């Protein structure tokens, strides 16, 4: 979704905003713009369709000197990507300017009302109405005018508003879209996420829904929409600016793939105690966990595939019905939910609107909601009774990698912890699991080393017409995720299929130009998987197998083999996906794609 940054303080605002926008570009990159109140008291606005680099070229060296400004990168929802629809948007007087992430759902009605009242609206966006509503309400105090405008808005927003005549003041507001305040020495920031501002300050306030932040250099006053003061703690961002940089890799995606061993270690930190798995975050909800009789998992995209592993384990270890549903479908056919239902919402960003809506519905119906997310302070944590964090560090590439493996490992620990509490996981099984988990980071490093061959393989496969990925049991989510990676970043069609279903239709797609990628790691379903692999070979398809080191049989059967270390079946998804990530990466590179910011996608989608 869109990225927002605002600044007020002694620095040159232009470079601070452009720097922030570049770091936020993964959130959306259809257009970019900035507004500044210049030292002469003028409002300067420049905005362009395209990436931040296009805006920067347009600005050249004519960015005026200013100590305050706001900026935006857009991922289009209302109105196509164009210079006109790019943010910031201004009012009739050209004094008030606004950037917005989210959707004003009643904007058509508001727009008609504003037009009838004599306002002139230039763009097709929902955002522009906000500038005009603030204009209509303005009586010399920007925060008051914003609060008054907010009372008219329905939908979701993170907003930053600036008035030419109050040249050190920024007003921000959030409802169902992320916005944080950054506090420096004599300077203040607003941003969609910490990546935009962590180079300048680590002291942040995570705004809650309904908050309005009134910023001057170095200070922030938070109120609700009625103007009543609210107290919000100042948090310290634990990661450095360098952590959000590429660290020498060609792309963030490649860097993040290589960070997986470290991310897995971080995800397990403090959670493996001798021979036990213990998630302290669950302590406040132990009473309710004791009574659960079914588990529903909700998630989107990559997180959904990770959640399939979680659902399988809850079912196997707890012996209660457990399943996973795509969040956007969950709401339309909700399962029976009562206080004994555990709902696990899995979301990297914690801001995915579909998942938040599904979690809210579940919470409203009395479910016990647990969030599994990478983002402290994100919206999902406010919907949940308990939140378990991935601890994976920032993920910048749009295509998720390290957050997939940390979601899987976190869900394994979550299911094991709950099964332990309910007395359904025996000590021996738990000990075996702990040992396997401890080996996992080193095995992930080994899997990365072994997958070096995917670079050369990609050369031979990059001109394929499409790919068919198959897997069974814990190999199935890996196949789905592998296919998603190819689709997202190389723009090649790829199907992820349950291997047993291959013969029921999709096998007709296979030929010499549509390779079969089979997740064939050691497992109880290995023999059956091999039969499915042979079905592909018989149709002239080249076969890429992901197999366990030491498997001598598979080399005869597959065209190419990607080796991974042996582990317990529930953890095999994590190791099997690594060569598939790297294969997708190299195919995309060979095809000349924009790996970190693939077309049409956004890192976090905060609209339903
Ligand atoms: C977007 C991203 C996907 C991601 C999905 C869910 O569509 O492009 O990579 O898997 O959102 O995101 P979440 O933050 O909820 O895990």
């Amino acid at each position: 979704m869109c990225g927002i940054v605002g600044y007020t303080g002694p620095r040159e605002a232009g470079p601070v905003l452009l720097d922030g926008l570049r770091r936020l570009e993964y959130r959306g990159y259809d257009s970019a713009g900035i507004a500044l109140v210049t030292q002469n008291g003028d409002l300067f606005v420049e905005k362009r369709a395209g990436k931040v680099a296009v805006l920067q070229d347009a600005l050249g060296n004519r960015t005026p000197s200013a100590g305050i400004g706001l900026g935006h990168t857009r991922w289009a929802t209302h109105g196509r990507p164009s210079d006109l629809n790019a943010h910031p948007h201004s009012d009739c007087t050209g004094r008030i300017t606004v950037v917005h992430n989210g959707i004003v759902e009643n904007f058509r009605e508001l727009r008609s009302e504003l037009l009838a009242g004599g306002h002139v609206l230039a763009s097709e966006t929902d955002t522009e109405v906000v500038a005009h509503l603030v204009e209509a309400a303005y009586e010399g105090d920007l925060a008051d005018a914003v609060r008054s405008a907010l009372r008219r808005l329905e939908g979701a927003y993170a907003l930053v508003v600036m008035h030419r005549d109050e040249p050190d003041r920024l007003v921000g507001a959030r409802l169902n879209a992320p916005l944080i305040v950054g506090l420096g020495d004599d300077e203040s920031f607003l941003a969609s996420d910490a990546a935009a501002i962590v180079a300048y300050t680590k002291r942040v306030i995570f705004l809650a829904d309904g908050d309005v932040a009134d910023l001057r250099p170095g200070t922030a006053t938070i109120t609700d929409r009625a103007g009543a003061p609210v107290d919000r703690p100042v948090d310290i961002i634990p990661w450095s600016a360098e952590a959000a940089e590429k660290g020498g890799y060609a792309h963030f995606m490649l860097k993040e793939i290589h960070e997986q061993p470290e991310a897995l270690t971080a995800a397990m930190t403090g959670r493996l105690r001798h021979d036990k798995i213990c998630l302290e975050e669950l302590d406040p909800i132990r009473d309710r966990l004791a009574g659960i009789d079914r588990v529903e998992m909700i998630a989107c995209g990559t997180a959904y595939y990770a959640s399939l592993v979680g659902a399988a384990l809850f079912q196997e270890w707890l012996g209660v019905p457990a399943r996973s549903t795509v969040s956007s479908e969950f709401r339309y056919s909700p399962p029976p939910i009562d206080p004994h239902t555990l709902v696990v919402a899995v979301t990297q960003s914690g801001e995915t609107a579909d998942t938040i809506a599904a979690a809210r519905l579940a919470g409203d119906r009395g479910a016990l909601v647990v969030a599994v997310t990478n983002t402290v302070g994100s919206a999902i944590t406010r919907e949940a009774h308990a939140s378990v964090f991935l601890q994976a560090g920032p993920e910048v590439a749009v295509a998720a990698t390290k957050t997939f493996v940390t979601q899987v490992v976190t869900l394994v620990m979550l299911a094991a912890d709950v099964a332990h509490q309910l007395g359904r996981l025996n000590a021996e099984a738990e000990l075996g699991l702990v040992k396997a988990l401890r080996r996992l980071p080193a095995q992930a490093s080994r899997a990365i080393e072994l997958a070096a061959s995917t670079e050369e393989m990609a050369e031979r496969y990059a001109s394929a017409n499409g790919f068919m990925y198959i897997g069974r049991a814990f190999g199935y989510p890996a196949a789905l995720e592998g296919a998603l990676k190819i689709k997202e970043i190389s723009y090649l069609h790829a199907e992820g299929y349950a291997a047993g279903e291959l013969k029921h239709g999709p096998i007709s797609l296979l030929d010499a130009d549509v390779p079969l990628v089979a997740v064939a790691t050691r497992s109880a379903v290995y023999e059956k998987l091999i039969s499915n692999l042979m079905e592909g070979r018989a149709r002239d398809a080249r076969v890429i197998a992901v197999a366990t080191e030491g498997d001598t049989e598979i080399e005869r059967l597959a065209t190419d083999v990607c080796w991974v270390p042996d582990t317990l079946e529930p953890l095999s998804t994590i190791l099997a996906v690594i060569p598939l990530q790297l294969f997708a990466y190299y195919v995309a590179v060979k095809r000349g794609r924009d790996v970190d910011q693939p077309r049409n996608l956004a890192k976090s989608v905060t609209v339903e």
Side-chain angles (χ1 to χ4, degrees):
M1 275 301 302
C2 308
I4 288 180
V5 60
Y7 176 77
T8 177
R11 297 178 205 251
E12 277 298 339
V16 173
L17 297 176
L18 287 169
D19 180 44
L21 291 183
R22 267 191 305 273
R23 293 173 200 273
L24 287 175
E25 212 168 20
Y26 70 92
R27 296 181 64 86
Y29 33 79
D30 290 336
S31 63
I34 59 167
L36 303 164
V37 178
T38 69
Q39 304 293 10
N40 308 331
D42 297 326
L43 185 66
F44 170 90
V45 178
E46 184 66 66
K47 48 190 194 170
R48 294 288 156 141
K51 296 192 171 189
V52 176
V54 177
L55 172 68
Q56 197 145 23
D57 283 351
L59 285 164
N61 52 11
R62 44 178 205 92
T63 311
S65 181
I68 183 168
L70 41 79
H72 188 267
T73 62
R74 177 164 184 255
W75 187 71
T77 53
H78 280 80
R80 68 208 153 74
S82 66
D83 291 357
L84 192 65
N85 288 335
H87 297 216
H89 290 286
S90 301
D91 70 330
C92 297
T93 67
R95 292 184 179 151
I96 297 165
T97 187
V98 175
V99 288
H100 168 218
N101 171 23
I103 292 182
V104 179
E105 283 171 357
N106 57 336
F107 91 99
R108 285 186 187 80
E109 173 195 325
L110 293 170
R111 190 181 160 89
S112 314
E113 184 187 310
L114 287 161
L115 289 172
H119 289 264
V120 179
L121 282 87
S123 76
E124 300 165 305
T125 65
D126 54 335
T127 304
E128 196 181 1
V129 301
V130 180
H132 292 268
L133 286 174
V134 175
E135 175 193 356
Y138 190 75
E139 288 174 356
D141 186 301
L142 184 61
D144 281 347
V146 170
R147 280 187 286 260
S148 153
L150 294 179
R151 291 195 277 272
R152 302 293 318 280
L153 303 185
E154 287 166 22
Y157 53 75
L159 287 165
V160 182
V161 190
M162 181 171 78
H163 195 301
R164 197 192 70 175
D165 299 344
E166 301 188 54
D168 66 347
R169 190 178 199 187
L170 286 177
V171 178
R174 79 157 273 168
L175 188 72
N176 298 324
L179 191 66
I180 64 166
V181 172
L183 293 171
D185 296 337
D186 299 324
E187 57 186 354
S188 302
F189 303 80
L190 280 160
S192 318
D193 80 45
I197 58 172
V198 74
Y200 305 101
T201 183
K202 294 188 173 188
R203 295 173 57 228
V204 300
I205 298 169
F206 293 103
L207 296 177
D209 281 341
D211 284 359
V212 178
D214 185 358
L215 269 66
R216 312 267 187 180
T219 65
T221 310
I222 321 285
T223 68
D224 64 14
R225 273 172 289 182
V230 290
D231 234 4
R232 300 278 173 236
V234 176
D235 282 296
I236 305 295
I237 295 290
W239 32 273
S240 64
E242 298 75 59
E245 292 296 336
K246 276 188 218 156
Y249 291 96
H251 296 95
F252 281 108
M253 183 180 175
L254 189 60
K255 168 178 173 259
E256 288 157 6
I257 290 171
H258 280 84
E259 280 171 357
Q260 291 182 115
E262 189 191 327
L264 287 165
T265 303
M268 291 186 275
T269 300
R271 292 166 173 173
L272 305 183
R273 311 253 175 88
H274 308 293
D275 51 355
K276 298 264 171 307
I277 293 166
C278 184
L279 302 183
E280 265 174 9
E281 297 88 334
L282 302 180
D283 289 348
I285 57 164
R286 292 285 174 200
D287 285 0
R288 288 200 61 190
L289 281 172
I292 60 165
D293 62 11
R294 93 181 18 239
V295 182
E296 295 285 345
M297 321 233 359
I298 46 177
C300 302
T302 288
Y304 170 67
Y305 298 146
S307 76
L308 295 173
V309 177
L313 293 177
F314 272 114
Q315 189 151 290
E316 189 180 323
W317 291 342
L318 270 68
V320 300
R323 63 172 184 171
S324 186
T325 309
V326 166
S327 309
S328 54
E329 290 297 316
F330 183 85
R331 295 173 77 194
Y332 306 119
S333 177
I337 291 172
D338 64 27
H340 301 292
T341 312
L342 168 63
V343 170
V344 182
V346 189
T347 160
Q348 185 282 129
S349 61
E351 301 289 347
T352 298
D354 289 323
T355 302
I356 288 162
R360 189 168 297 158
L361 178 143
D364 287 349
R365 295 188 178 189
L368 173 63
V369 180
V370 171
V372 173
T373 179
N374 199 28
T375 317
V376 177
S378 60
I380 196 71
T381 62
R382 285 188 282 277
E383 301 296 332
H385 299 97
S387 298
V388 182
F389 295 105
L390 304 180
Q391 305 178 164
E395 186 175 70
V396 175
V398 166
T401 52
K402 64 175 176 171
T403 57
F404 176 76
V405 297
T406 50
Q407 277 163 354
V408 174
V409 85
T410 305
L411 291 169
V412 169
M413 292 187 293
L414 178 63
D417 177 302
V418 178
H420 174 96
Q421 186 192 333
L422 302 187
R424 300 191 192 156
L425 189 65
N426 70 48
E428 196 189 333
E430 188 166 1
L431 179 61
L433 182 60
V434 170
K435 284 187 177 159
L437 285 168
R438 290 194 199 280
R439 283 197 302 270
L440 202 55
Q443 291 184 313
S445 293
R446 170 108 184 118
I448 292 170
E449 272 166 44
L450 291 168
S453 60
T454 53
E455 184 168 6
E456 174 276 324
M457 274 169 57
E459 196 90 56
R460 287 181 282 119
Y461 287 92
S463 56
N465 283 346
F467 291 90
M468 178 70 64
Y469 283 67
I470 55 167
R472 279 177 186 254
F474 293 103
Y476 176 46
L480 292 169
E481 176 61 6
L484 181 65
K485 292 301 95 159
I486 282 275
K487 283 184 271 207
E488 285 180 318
I489 61 171
S490 72
Y491 317 153
L492 276 169
H493 180 65
E495 294 259 9
Y497 243 84
E501 281 289 291
L502 184 66
K503 57 186 177 294
H504 296 300
I507 197 164
S508 66
L509 294 170
L510 295 182
D511 63 22
D513 295 320
V514 178
L516 182 68
V517 183
V519 179
T521 46
R522 187 193 59 77
S523 74
V525 292
Y526 177 80
E527 294 301 337
K528 284 205 164 59
L529 201 283
I530 293 297
S531 308
N532 305 132
L533 184 157
M534 296 307 290
E535 289 160 13
R537 283 222 51 176
R539 271 79 187 177
D540 290 336
R542 288 177 287 171
V543 174
I544 300 172
V546 177
T548 307
E549 277 185 290
D551 179 345
T552 46
E553 188 185 356
I554 199 119
E555 260 174 321
R556 289 186 294 108
L557 307 177
T559 322
D560 287 282
V561 182
C562 300
W563 300 109
V564 293
D566 193 17
T567 182
L568 294 182
E569 274 192 62
L571 304 179
S572 64
T573 319
I574 293 171
L575 298 179
V577 85
I578 289 173
L580 301 181
Q581 295 167 338
L582 280 162
F583 179 66
Y585 171 79
Y586 287 118
V587 168
V589 169
K590 302 277 178 242
R591 293 178 69 87
R593 303 305 190 208
D594 188 343
V595 172
D596 283 337
Q597 295 178 352
R599 70 183 182 197
N600 304 344
L601 298 180
K603 181 73 181 159
S604 145
V605 181
T606 51
V607 290
E608 284 178 49

